[in-house]
């Protein structure tokens, strides 16, 4: 017993080190491999509001670009409005629509923090639990994919950006529907890689890629990027395609969070049939 | 003594805010992520008890993680730095040891000493941090390149900050 006390006293520094290091690693692993909503991240109220204040100051810098983008989107939407269409027939009739049911809802939000230069990048958005955000929802801009919601607090959420090693988005070629997984190679925020694309796909430079709608986060048909180049590595049966992303991660400001209204139903079905979807 | 606590406390808050609100979003390229907040750990007094240094390092890491969404990562790396710092100090000690009136700054200890001291700790910090961030050796050389570039950037910032903010003492 005395020896134990002597040992503890002599090596207390090393033991303290092991204790603290163990605590850190436990947090790291827990946070990395299980998406649990913790309090220590930028979705936290304190840091979140600090970032929001900073953002209110810096947002003026590219107001012009942002306004232009919003105006373009507005114009596009207005052109789809009923008032933009001339009546084609004078007969009026009403339809009780039972064929279509809304599956996706969009919640607009503003980016308060974002990085592109790290291996694993995160986006913080000023929408949270109070606005109906839940973990694993998809996030879009007007012209592309942003990422997946990770942590949610009352009024903020953090998003694993597409520029993160754990984010994979299922994407397909618009023209023939062959699909693969979109991942980020970790260097350039403008390009990503599409892996596992079967070699029977006939690729042309400039081909458009859209989301496939597999997985619950994103609706099908959202633009993702365009094909730049492709190669078949020795021994592989599939193409690895370099993709130019449509989302400009450096100018991220206004985003939409996707709520899939069928999500619970899908999840229940998958749980009961034992399908484990990792996305 | 009290003076020292206030000075270090101010430095702590200032550096964490600068790191979390400004440097995090300065993006000169995919390989350069400077971590100026290490200056707080580097400039802790020579005679600080080792356990306190380690604890302070862990808290620093935790605060940085808060801003970076990487709970545990900076904490683990900083705890290691806090633990290894006394050993590094012993390793590069001048022949007659450290005087307690002095601080581990360029002004007090000279440029060569400070660069050795800072480079050792910065490279260790970045090595651990970037491989922990990747959590595999899959992109080994990419990550190594990132460590090198970021270490140089951090060192440059450390030296520049020292020259900018410690100048007053020479005049006084």
């Amino acid at each position: 017993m005395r020896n134990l006390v002597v040992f503890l006293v002599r090596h207390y520094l090393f033991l303290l080190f092991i204790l603290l290091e163990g605590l850190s690693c436990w947090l790291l692993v827990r946070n990395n491999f299980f998406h649990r909503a913790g309090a220590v991240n930028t979705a936290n109220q304190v840091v979140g509001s600090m970032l929001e204040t900073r953002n209110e100051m810096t947002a003026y810098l590219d107001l012009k670009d942002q306004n232009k983008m919003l105006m373009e989107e507005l114009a596009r939407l207005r052109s789809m409005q009923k008032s933009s269409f001339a009546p084609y027939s004078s007969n009026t009739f009403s339809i009780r629509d039972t064929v279509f049911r809304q599956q996706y809802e969009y919640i607009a939000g503003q980016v308060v923090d974002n990085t592109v230069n790290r291996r694993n990048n995160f986006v913080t958005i000023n929408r949270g639990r109070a606005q109906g955000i839940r973990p694993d929802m998809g996030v879009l801009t007007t012209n592309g994919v942003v990422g997946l919601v990770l942590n949610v607090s009352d009024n903020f959420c953090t998003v694993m950006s597409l520029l993160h090693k754990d984010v994979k988005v299922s994407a397909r070629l618009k023209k023939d529907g062959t699909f693969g997984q979109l991942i980020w190679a970790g260097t350039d925020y403008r390009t990503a890689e599409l892996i596992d694309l079967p070699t029977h796909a006939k690729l042309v430079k400039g081909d458009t890629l859209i989301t496939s709608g597999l997985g619950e986060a994103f609706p099908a048909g959202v633009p993702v990027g365009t094909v730049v180049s492709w190669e078949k590595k020795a021994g592989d049966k599939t193409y690895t395609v370099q993709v130019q992303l449509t989302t400009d991660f450096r100018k991220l400001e206004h985003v939409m969070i996707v709520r899939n209204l069928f999500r619970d139903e899908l999840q229940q079905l998958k749980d009961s049939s034992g399908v484990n979807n990792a996305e | 003594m009290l003076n020292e606590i206030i000075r270090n406390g101010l430095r702590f808050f200032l550096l964490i805010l600068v790191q979390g609100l400004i440097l995090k979003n300065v993006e000169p390229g995919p390989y350069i992520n400077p971590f100026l907040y290490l200056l707080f750990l580097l400039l802790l007094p020579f005679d600080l008890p080792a356990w306190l240094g380690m604890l302070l390092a862990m808290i620093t890491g935790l605060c940085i993680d808060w801003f970076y969404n990487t709970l545990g990562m900076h904490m683990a790396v900083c705890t290691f730095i806090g633990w290894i710092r006394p050993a590094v100090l012993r390793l590069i000690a001048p022949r007659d040891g450290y005087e307690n009136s002095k601080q581990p700054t360029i002004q007090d200890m000279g440029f060569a000493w400070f660069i050795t001291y800072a480079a050792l700790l910065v490279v260790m910090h970045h090595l651990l941090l970037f491989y922990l961030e990747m959590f595999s050796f899959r992109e080994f050389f990419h990550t190594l390149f990132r460590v090198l570039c970021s270490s140089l950037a951090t060192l440059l910032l450390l030296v520049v900050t020292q020259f900018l903010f410690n100048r007053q003492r020479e005049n006084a």
Side-chain angles (χ1 to χ4, degrees), chain A residues 94-157:
Chain A
S94 68
I95 301 172
R96 189 168 168 274
D97 194 345
T98 52
V99 178
F100 291 101
R101 219 179 101 196
Q102 186 168 17
Q103 185 180 1
Y104 296 103
E105 270 181 7
Y106 298 88
I107 303 152
Q110 266 206 345
V111 172
V112 295
D113 187 47
N114 176 30
T115 59
V116 299
N117 63 339
R118 307 190 52 74
R119 181 62 186 83
N120 300 324
N121 294 288
F122 295 90
V123 182
T124 310
I125 296 170
N126 65 349
R127 291 286 178 268
R129 210 174 289 125
Q131 289 83 26
I133 312 294
R134 301 277 175 278
D136 293 327
M137 283 183 172
V139 182
L140 305 173
T141 59
T142 52
N143 59 356
V145 171
V146 176
L148 294 168
V149 174
L150 180 66
N151 286 311
V152 181
S153 72
D154 282 345
N155 291 301
F156 293 97
C157 64

Side-chain angles (χ1 to χ4, degrees), chain B residues 85-120:
Chain B
R85 194 183 85 110
V88 171
L89 280 176
R90 269 198 302 279
L91 186 74
I92 57 169
R95 207 174 310 135
D96 35 356
Y98 296 106
E99 292 168 38
N100 278 341
S101 60
K102 285 194 170 177
Q103 295 217 336
T105 57
I106 293 182
Q107 279 76 12
D108 280 7
M109 300 302 297
F111 190 73
W113 182 89
F114 182 80
I115 278 291
T116 325
Y117 169 58
L120 276 171

Side-chain angles (χ1 to χ4, degrees), chain A residues 152-191:
Chain A
V152 181
S153 72
D154 282 345
N155 291 301
F156 293 97
C157 64
T158 56
V159 175
M160 281 199 286
S161 129
L162 188 58
L163 315 179
H164 186 294
K165 73 175 161 77
D166 293 334
V167 172
K168 281 182 189 154
V169 175
S170 172
R172 64 180 162 89
L173 280 170
K174 194 175 181 183
K175 61 175 183 188
D176 63 3
T178 46
F179 66 91
Q181 299 273 0
L182 195 74
I183 56 166
W184 189 51
T187 47
D188 187 358
Y189 67 93
R190 282 161 299 197
T191 57

Side-chain angles (χ1 to χ4, degrees), chain A residues 13-14 17 21 28 41-42 44 47 54 113-120 122 158 165 185-187 250, chain B residues 21 24-27 29-31 33 35 50 54 58 66-67 69 71 76 79-80 83 133-134 139 146:
Chain A
L13 254 186
F14 186 68
F17 170 64
E21 201 67 56
L28 178 67
N41 52 54
T42 48
N44 175 283
V47 173
R54 182 203 60 188
D113 187 47
N114 176 30
T115 59
V116 299
N117 63 339
R118 307 190 52 74
R119 181 62 186 83
N120 300 324
F122 295 90
T158 56
K165 73 175 161 77
T187 47
R250 229 174 229 268
Chain B
L21 293 177
K24 185 180 123 187
N25 297 80
V26 174
E27 293 163 340
Y31 290 109
N33 308 134
F35 290 102
M54 201 146 67
M58 190 187 78
W66 205 336
F67 282 95
N69 288 311
L71 182 59
T79 311
F80 176 78
W83 180 65
E133 184 181 34
M134 191 56 217
E139 296 168 8
R146 184 170 270 159

Side-chain angles (χ1 to χ4, degrees), chain A residues 77-97:
Chain A
L77 291 179
R78 179 154 299 175
S79 65
M80 296 195 304
Q81 245 180 12
K82 209 178 163 198
S83 58
S84 317
F85 293 89
Y88 189 67
S89 151
S90 56
N91 301 336
T92 57
F93 50 90
S94 68
I95 301 172
R96 189 168 168 274
D97 194 345

